[in-house]
Amino acid sequence: MRKLIVLSFITLDGVMQAPGGPEEDTSGGFQHGGWTFHYFDEFMGNVMDRQMSRPFDLLLGRRTYDIFASYWPNHHDPNDPVSSGLNNSTKYVVSHSPGELKWNNTIAITGDVVKAIDTIKKDSGPDLHVHGSSNLIQTLLRHNLADEFWLKIFPITLGKGKRLFDSGAMPSAFTASDIQMSPKGVIVATYKRSGEVITGSFGD
């Protein structure tokens, strides 16, 4: 079975909206787009190269797909793991809106999204990477479809914006691994699902 891996840039207060640029996603009056730019350095570039150099397919919401599809096909560098990985992957796109999906190797997911994703996970093939796609991630969390989180946690708070873990996530325990910190204080960590939440009492 394929693993479904969520790769997210998040703030200390869990905001994931528009990390890449001011106009990326201004919905809800969001005014801090591009908040990761100041923190990107050689260390972060190496992290992204390493994570994107292994084979993967993409699972994206429509907004993120449109952002990626408007940029990456025009910046295809076979020597760049990020560019070549994104362009060569199969893209599964959850979309309820009309319009052509022109990026190569794109497959639309409509109808019963949860069932379709579960079927894709059971197929043979590389792991599935989810980038951006905040609304889609909430669906994945409600149905326990995410197996790992590859997070980059930035040392800022924004107060408002779309969050990685919004209401509705199913209780689940995780194991942390591969934890690093960049020279500018970005924590890079992998979290793998490890089972049920274990509770106890300090009063016993």
Side-chain angles (χ1 to χ4, degrees):
M1 178 179 287
R2 309 199 211 192
K3 287 187 294 185
L4 196 157
I5 302 168
V6 175
L7 298 86
S8 287
F9 304 126
I10 64 171
T11 65
L12 288 177
D13 54 343
V15 174
M16 62 175 295
Q17 187 169 350
E23 305 303 320
E24 183 178 339
D25 180 4
T26 59
S27 60
F30 191 71
Q31 298 178 348
H32 299 289
W35 49 268
T36 66
F37 178 79
H38 170 72
Y39 298 94
F40 252 82
D41 53 16
E42 183 179 2
F43 176 94
M44 292 298 293
N46 290 337
V47 167
M48 294 306 299
D49 285 350
R50 186 181 76 249
Q51 293 185 344
M52 305 287 278
S53 62
R54 63 187 73 180
F56 65 88
D57 286 339
L58 287 174
L59 174 63
L60 302 173
R62 183 59 187 266
R63 180 192 291 270
T64 300
Y65 173 84
D66 286 342
I67 292 170
F68 280 21
S70 68
Y71 179 85
W72 288 110
N74 302 315
H75 296 80
H76 193 173
D77 179 357
N79 297 314
D80 174 23
V82 176
S83 168
S84 58
L86 293 173
N87 280 296
N88 294 332
S89 68
T90 298
K91 297 90 177 165
Y92 298 95
V93 184
V94 176
S95 177
H96 303 291
S97 59
E100 288 187 82
L101 302 173
K102 296 182 179 180
W103 199 4
N104 66 303
N105 303 326
T106 294
I107 299 172
I109 298 176
T110 58
D112 190 335
V113 171
V114 173
K115 182 178 180 181
I117 294 174
D118 187 58
T119 299
I120 293 168
K121 286 186 66 178
K122 292 176 181 176
D123 288 342
S124 60
D127 293 336
L128 296 164
H129 285 191
V130 181
H131 297 260
S133 308
S134 58
N135 291 334
L136 170 60
I137 287 173
Q138 304 316 307
T139 299
L140 301 177
L141 295 177
R142 284 194 297 270
H143 295 276
N144 272 343
L145 289 169
D147 301 300
E148 295 186 13
F149 291 87
W150 294 358
L151 303 183
K152 292 84 181 171
I153 305 167
F154 289 73
I156 55 170
T157 59
L158 296 179
K160 63 178 293 186
K162 298 174 182 177
R163 284 172 163 76
L164 176 62
F165 295 101
D166 208 340
S167 59
M170 296 291 289
S172 183
F174 290 83
T175 298
S177 64
D178 193 23
I179 299 173
Q180 306 173 67
M181 187 168 69
S182 80
K184 293 186 176 181
V186 180
I187 297 172
V188 179
T190 295
Y191 295 91
K192 300 179 181 180
R193 281 184 54 179
S194 60
E196 302 296 323
V197 173
I198 300 173
T199 63
S201 173
F202 291 100
D204 295 340

